[in-house]
Amino acid sequence: METIVQKIRGDALPFSEQEEETLRLAGDIIRRGGLVAFPTETVYGLGGDALNPASSRKIYAAKGRPSDNPLIVHIADREALAQIVRNIPDSAVRLAEAFWPGPLTMILEKADIVPYETTGGLDTVAVRMPSHPAAREFIRRAGGYVAAPSANLSGKPSPTVAKYVVQDMDGRIEMILDGGNVEIGLESTIIDLISYPPMVLRPGYVTVQMLRDVLGDVQEDCTIMRDDSGQAPKAPGMKYRHYAPRGELTIVDGAQEDVVKYINSRLDRFRQQHKKTGVIATGASVQKYRADSCKSVGDRNNEDTVARELYRVLREFDDENVEIIYAESFDTDGIGQAIMNRLLKAAGHRVVYI
Ligand code: AMP
Ligand code: MG
């Protein structure tokens, strides 16, 4: 299959004539049962018609993803929710008012028109309304209900730039909308509104504290920051190996000077073994390491920058065939919880405390 790649801007509306044409074509492809990757404010999504079982099956095939791992249904308007969900609770209305459009996914009871292929066999459905203007316009033109997981091959870090969507999906899907760099860089927060009190299944840019400010009592799934290999996480997708670079990644936690000293001593050892090494550091520390490839993920005091850069950096290590990677650790407050959740999964929970 030949994959069409077309540019689309993320911000300034109105769209140009060329962009209108691109969005129309993308929408038609989805309506005909095809797949289109598109930018959102979180990461790139791999979209298909959420109400068409055959489209969902194609998504699993294109990603190489196990079919018990449910997809998130993306909508463009709040009114669309009532079509695909039964018994909308008051909590969902309040969260939608506070955080939609935006990086929050809600788990709700599914209506009959949502096929089990889309929900991985569950009676619940995950729904999100993204804020990215081109994503919303694309969803509208696609019929209003776009099932989309992240647009990466299963197990790889989610794409935050179109280049990595092309790398994983070229030849597997009909079209890729290239919207440049995404804004947030980590997948949406997932909250289960069926359990009481509501439970955060995956941390993201909308933090637990922000959710508590709206809903009061909110729990967190116990597998968010812990090794979940012995547990059954509530979001089926969280049990799979995720976000991982090919190289062996270890997180080192401790006082900055000690971390630098420890990592450099390990790097020297691996260099003697002719292994290619990498380090995930910050702007303030990146000069201090002796790895083959030292990368900054931004500013420790501005975690938005870290969220935005993390997946790109993990992907670049794959491009460079780095075999051994050490990462500094990050605070777990606010969006730091989402950053460390992904980093811990990428590292298979290998952490050295010094
Ligand atoms: P991704 O699309 O790659 O961001 O993955 C979607 C995530 O949402 C996966 O971790 C799924 O397990 C989770 N998810 C989707 N639908 C449901 C649902 N009905 N119940 C619980 N988790 C869900
Ligand atoms: Mg994913």
Side-chain angles (χ1 to χ4, degrees), residues 260-300:
V260 172
K261 223 179 274 168
Y262 174 84
I263 291 180
N264 276 333
S265 75
R266 301 295 300 161
L267 292 173
D268 291 343
R269 168 108 38 109
F270 282 112
R271 184 150 338 96
Q272 281 164 13
Q273 297 170 14
H274 306 289
K275 298 266 196 202
K276 191 159 186 195
T277 57
V279 169
I280 299 176
T282 59
S285 64
V286 68
Q287 310 280 6
K288 297 181 183 165
Y289 292 102
R290 298 193 290 265
D292 299 310
S293 180
C294 300
K295 294 183 189 294
S296 165
V297 282
D299 176 359
R300 181 172 288 287

Side-chain angles (χ1 to χ4, degrees), residues 6 96-97 109 131 198 218 228 242:
Q6 290 282 349
E97 266 164 24
E109 233 180 289
S131 64
V218 172
D228 53 15
H242 252 83

Side-chain angles (χ1 to χ4, degrees), residues 63 65 69-72 105 107-108 119 122 124-126 148-150 152 158 187-188 190 201-202 234-238 242:
K63 271 183 76 90
R65 171 168 173 152
N69 187 353
L71 309 174
I72 294 174
T105 297
I107 308 290
L108 295 159
T119 67
L122 299 173
T124 54
V125 61
S150 48
N152 50 284
S158 302
E187 303 86 347
S188 58
I190 301 181
L201 306 184
R202 178 171 76 185
K234 306 268 182 328
M238 301 300 269
H242 252 83

Side-chain angles (χ1 to χ4, degrees), residues 175-190:
M175 188 174 192
I176 295 170
L177 300 177
D178 175 355
N181 294 342
V182 302
E183 196 185 320
I184 294 176
L186 296 177
E187 303 86 347
S188 58
T189 306
I190 301 181

Side-chain angles (χ1 to χ4, degrees), residues 176-252:
I176 295 170
L177 300 177
D178 175 355
N181 294 342
V182 302
E183 196 185 320
I184 294 176
L186 296 177
E187 303 86 347
S188 58
T189 306
I190 301 181
I191 186 165
D192 176 358
L193 295 179
I194 289 171
S195 49
Y196 190 82
M199 185 184 274
V200 173
L201 306 184
R202 178 171 76 185
Y205 192 79
V206 175
T207 63
V208 175
Q209 191 52 53
M210 288 157 78
L211 294 164
R212 286 189 180 136
D213 288 346
V214 176
L215 294 185
D217 201 3
V218 172
Q219 313 177 65
E220 296 170 73
D221 184 6
C222 64
T223 62
I224 283 178
M225 299 309 261
R226 286 213 317 254
D227 186 353
D228 53 15
S229 43
Q231 302 263 347
K234 306 268 182 328
M238 301 300 269
K239 77 184 176 213
Y240 296 105
R241 191 174 135 88
H242 252 83
Y243 321 116
R246 284 204 307 276
E248 184 182 287
L249 170 61
T250 306
I251 302 167
V252 184

